[in-house]
């Protein structure tokens, strides 16, 4: 039997708004790769090597994490354990626009446009006529 709907709503409410400040040992990270069952490789804004973090059971099968999305990582969660995990996902950034307004949002994670800039490409062919035989 699945989890009650009240658990789903409570989890969604918890992740919908950003906290006033991050706790000691927490930082915002970008999801780089899905490593396995509830394990994710994330990049910190400092640019160090990626961390391997675990998704806690309260988020599993309720909130989905997409590649390139942002999460709050608690590095103190597995500090005393000797294993390959570097931390635990404490929160998932769902409304990125609200989170970016917070003072603790790292400046290294700038907003990327979803469409490539046309100036980098040669020429856009949308709406143009193909060259005629006389022009070639």
């Amino acid at each position: 039997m699945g989890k009650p709907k009240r658990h789903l709503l409570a989890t969604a409410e918890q992740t919908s708004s950003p906290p006033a400040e991050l706790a000691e040992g927490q930082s915002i990270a970008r999801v780089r790769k899905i490593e396995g069952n509830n394990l994710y490789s994330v990049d910190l804004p400092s640019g160090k090597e990626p961390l391997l973090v675990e998704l806690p059971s309260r988020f599993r099968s309720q909130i989905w994490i997409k590649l390139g999305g942002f999460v709050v990582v608690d590095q103190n969660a597995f500090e005393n354990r000797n294993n390959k995990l570097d931390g635990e996902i404490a929160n998932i950034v769902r409304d990125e626009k609200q989170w970016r307004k917070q003072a603790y949002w790292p400046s290294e994670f700038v907003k990327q446009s979803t469409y490539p800039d046309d100036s980098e490409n040669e020429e856009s062919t949308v709406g143009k006529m193909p060259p005629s035989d006389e022009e070639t």
Side-chain angles (χ1 to χ4, degrees):
M1 181 152 66
K3 295 181 181 178
K5 190 172 185 176
R6 67 179 179 271
H7 291 300
L8 174 65
L9 295 175
T11 303
E13 180 65 29
Q14 179 186 10
T15 61
S16 64
S17 60
E21 60 185 30
L22 295 179
E24 184 70 30
Q26 290 185 345
S27 60
I28 295 179
R30 180 178 297 166
V31 177
R32 171 186 239 195
K33 185 178 176 184
I34 300 170
E35 295 289 342
N37 194 14
N38 303 312
L39 296 176
Y40 295 88
S41 177
V42 297
D43 290 327
L44 292 177
S46 61
K48 294 181 183 176
E49 64 183 54
L51 301 178
L52 184 64
V53 295
E54 180 184 31
L55 184 68
S57 61
R58 70 176 182 263
F59 294 127
R60 294 178 188 167
S61 300
Q62 293 185 13
I63 305 292
W64 303 106
I65 300 176
K66 63 180 181 177
L67 292 178
F70 295 98
V71 294
V72 177
V73 174
D74 185 7
Q75 294 179 337
N76 294 337
F78 294 111
E79 190 174 83
N80 298 331
R81 293 172 58 184
N82 292 331
N83 59 11
K84 63 181 180 178
L85 296 176
D86 298 314
E88 178 181 56
I89 295 175
N91 204 344
I92 300 167
V93 176
R94 289 183 49 212
D95 189 5
E96 189 177 322
K97 193 173 187 179
Q98 280 188 346
W99 283 77
R100 286 186 179 276
K101 294 177 184 177
Q102 300 299 321
Y104 51 78
W105 187 267
S107 59
E108 291 84 4
F109 293 141
V110 295
K111 180 79 174 162
Q112 296 177 353
S113 64
T114 55
Y115 300 103
D117 187 17
D118 283 335
S119 63
E120 294 176 3
N121 299 339
E122 291 178 0
E123 276 190 30
S124 178
T125 59
V126 177
K128 291 186 178 179
M129 296 292 291
S132 63
D133 291 336
E134 295 173 1
E135 293 178 7
T136 57

